Amino acid sequence: MSYDWSDTTRQDRLAFFDVDPHSLEVRQELTGVKLSDSSITWGYYTDTRVSGTIKVLNSNHIDHSLIRVVHTIPDWGYSDTLATLLVTGDDAERDNGAWVTTYTCHSMLTMLEDDLLRCMFCARKGNKASDLLKNLLDDCGHKYSISGSAHDYRYSADGKALAFGASALSGVNDVCSTANDRLDVDGSGVITISAYTAPANITPAWSIDLTDSRTNVIDDISRSSSRLSTPTREIVYCTTTDSKNNSVTYFGYADATTGETAAKRGYVLAEVQSVQDLTSNAAATASAKSYLADNVDEDREWKLKLLYIPMKIGQTVYITFPDGDDEGRHHCLIKEIDLALDTLIMSVTLKEV
């Protein structure tokens, strides 16, 4: 069903619930939430993806429950579970005769981060990634879902060993990285694993057009860029030994010929890379060209505020600027979202891809 998110007459509602940490079923409604002091933050590149702060007056919270936040629009028959969060702190203060509790909240992935391996973990040659992930997650005892799109990678050699005391999250991340999968958590608190897709290859789910009179954008936009800090030269060297066990150093360099070149800037900005397993100066030069190709791309981001749209980190958008240096349409990853629960205004960071 399609919704008109630019409709400013809609009546948004938020509901909060205590949730069983094992079954993820609702125990009761959490009342007394102070929306003006509560927020949720999502980050695409953060290890645990989502966190939040929920302030409650004279709390009826059931100890050791998760807190679930649900957004509804009754007139539309619309409902969406924003997040189900683990409570990691519950400091309180007395204010005008009432207790105000601040619940510091994190995602279910924090449970994996704080759950340490009881023995050494190592993927062995022939192991399947799906089996390793199931073993790790079953041992931790949390609800999870492995998508049919996830790569069922089979190890062709032994993987990296993790000693006992390492976090279960590091083990899961290591397997997901090897299999080229993405670890995440959904709004209901279920840990999810699916095939990783490079942001540049993700079809935009949203379009933000600043030329549209009904745009949800609040006029508070900033841009950051790495353009002037990208290197114009990469220098690579490798110190090794020759067949007679004499120390020898191979080196090479490469200069940018397009984009931010030294000729345009009037100066050289160089980086030095120490690498291994090179056997000639030509190989070092080739390596330098490779580093330069990886590093010359500009990282450009925009920060803006929006009236609430159900965007998710990891989705992509088209954003269109009517003028200035950024004039035109840009394809961007939704990198970060910070949602103020009183106004439902989103502070969003978009990263061009």
Side-chain angles (χ1 to χ4, degrees):
M1 183 175 180
S2 178
Y3 299 101
D4 181 9
W5 291 103
S6 61
D7 179 5
T8 57
T9 66
R10 70 178 195 246
Q11 298 296 310
D12 297 281
R13 297 286 185 269
L14 290 175
F16 300 81
F17 301 94
D18 282 337
V19 171
D20 186 288
H22 303 288
S23 67
L24 300 183
E25 296 297 323
V26 170
R27 288 174 164 172
Q28 67 167 12
E29 184 171 2
L30 178 65
T31 59
V33 174
K34 298 183 66 176
L35 295 178
S36 60
D37 296 310
S38 301
S39 63
I40 305 174
T41 301
W42 293 266
Y44 181 78
Y45 294 108
T46 60
D47 285 344
T48 56
R49 312 306 188 207
V50 58
S51 60
T53 299
I54 309 293
K55 285 200 173 184
V56 182
L57 182 67
N58 290 329
S59 178
N60 68 331
H61 176 64
I62 299 174
D63 200 21
H64 302 304
S65 294
L66 309 177
I67 295 179
R68 179 172 292 167
V69 186
V70 179
H71 172 228
T72 64
I73 305 175
D75 290 346
W76 294 1
Y78 174 86
S79 180
D80 181 35
T81 302
L82 300 181
T84 301
L85 301 168
L86 169 71
V87 176
T88 59
D90 58 357
D91 293 348
E93 60 183 10
R94 189 81 167 168
D95 185 16
N96 292 322
W99 283 101
V100 178
T101 305
T102 300
Y103 294 106
T104 303
C105 300
H106 291 89
S107 86
M108 302 296 281
L109 293 178
T110 302
M111 291 180 171
L112 297 182
E113 187 175 47
D114 295 335
D115 194 346
L116 307 184
L117 298 175
R118 294 171 291 178
C119 58
M120 179 173 287
F121 169 80
C122 181
R124 299 299 184 186
K125 180 179 179 180
N127 286 161
K128 294 174 69 173
S130 59
D131 292 336
L132 293 170
L133 290 169
K134 289 174 183 177
N135 289 340
L136 282 165
L137 294 169
D138 285 341
D139 188 58
C140 294
H142 308 307
K143 285 189 176 294
Y144 65 90
S145 173
I146 300 178
S147 168
S149 71
H151 298 113
D152 203 6
Y153 177 85
R154 187 181 292 276
Y155 283 76
S156 58
D158 289 350
K160 181 175 68 177
L162 296 174
F164 71 92
S167 76
L169 180 61
S170 65
V172 173
N173 273 328
D174 183 68
V175 176
C176 285
S177 177
T178 301
N180 198 30
D181 288 329
R182 165 82 179 172
L183 174 67
D184 217 320
V185 60
D186 69 14
S188 297
V190 177
I191 295 167
T192 63
I193 295 168
S194 58
Y196 169 77
T197 302
N201 297 329
I202 298 175
T203 302
W206 305 94
S207 180
I208 302 172
D209 189 350
L210 273 70
T211 66
D212 188 341
S213 61
R214 300 183 75 239
T215 181
N216 284 47
V217 177
I218 299 172
D219 194 17
D220 185 3
I221 304 173
S222 63
R223 182 195 68 213
S224 63
S225 169
S226 66
R227 180 175 63 89
L228 296 179
S229 61
T230 57
T232 64
R233 174 177 294 165
E234 288 286 354
I235 303 168
V236 168
Y237 74 94
C238 171
T239 300
T240 184
T241 56
D242 61 17
S243 59
K244 296 181 180 180
N245 208 34
N246 295 318
S247 178
V248 59
T249 298
Y250 301 110
F251 63 90
Y253 71 92
D255 287 324
T257 57
T258 59
E260 291 292 321
T261 65
K264 288 180 180 178
R265 289 182 181 170
Y267 60 90
V268 171
L269 180 59
E271 283 187 342
V272 177
Q273 312 286 349
S274 174
V275 301
Q276 296 178 341
D277 300 326
L278 297 181
T279 57
S280 67
N281 290 335
T285 298
S287 179
K289 290 179 179 179
S290 178
Y291 273 107
L292 190 67
D294 289 340
N295 291 341
V296 294
D297 289 338
E298 172 189 354
D299 286 331
R300 183 181 297 195
E301 295 184 353
W302 292 272
K303 294 182 183 294
L304 60 154
K305 292 186 177 180
L306 298 166
L307 297 177
Y308 181 76
I309 302 172
M311 292 176 164
K312 309 294 184 183
I313 57 167
Q315 292 181 326
T316 66
V317 302
Y318 283 136
I319 183 167
T320 303
F321 295 98
D323 50 35
D325 292 340
D326 300 327
E327 182 178 358
R329 191 176 74 171
H330 302 264
H331 185 197
C332 298
L333 170 74
I334 302 173
K335 178 183 173 183
E336 296 173 358
I337 299 173
D338 186 12
L339 177 64
L341 298 187
D342 55 345
T343 60
L344 284 185
I345 291 177
M346 313 165 69
S347 297
V348 179
T349 300
L350 301 178
K351 175 182 172 64
E352 189 163 31
V353 296

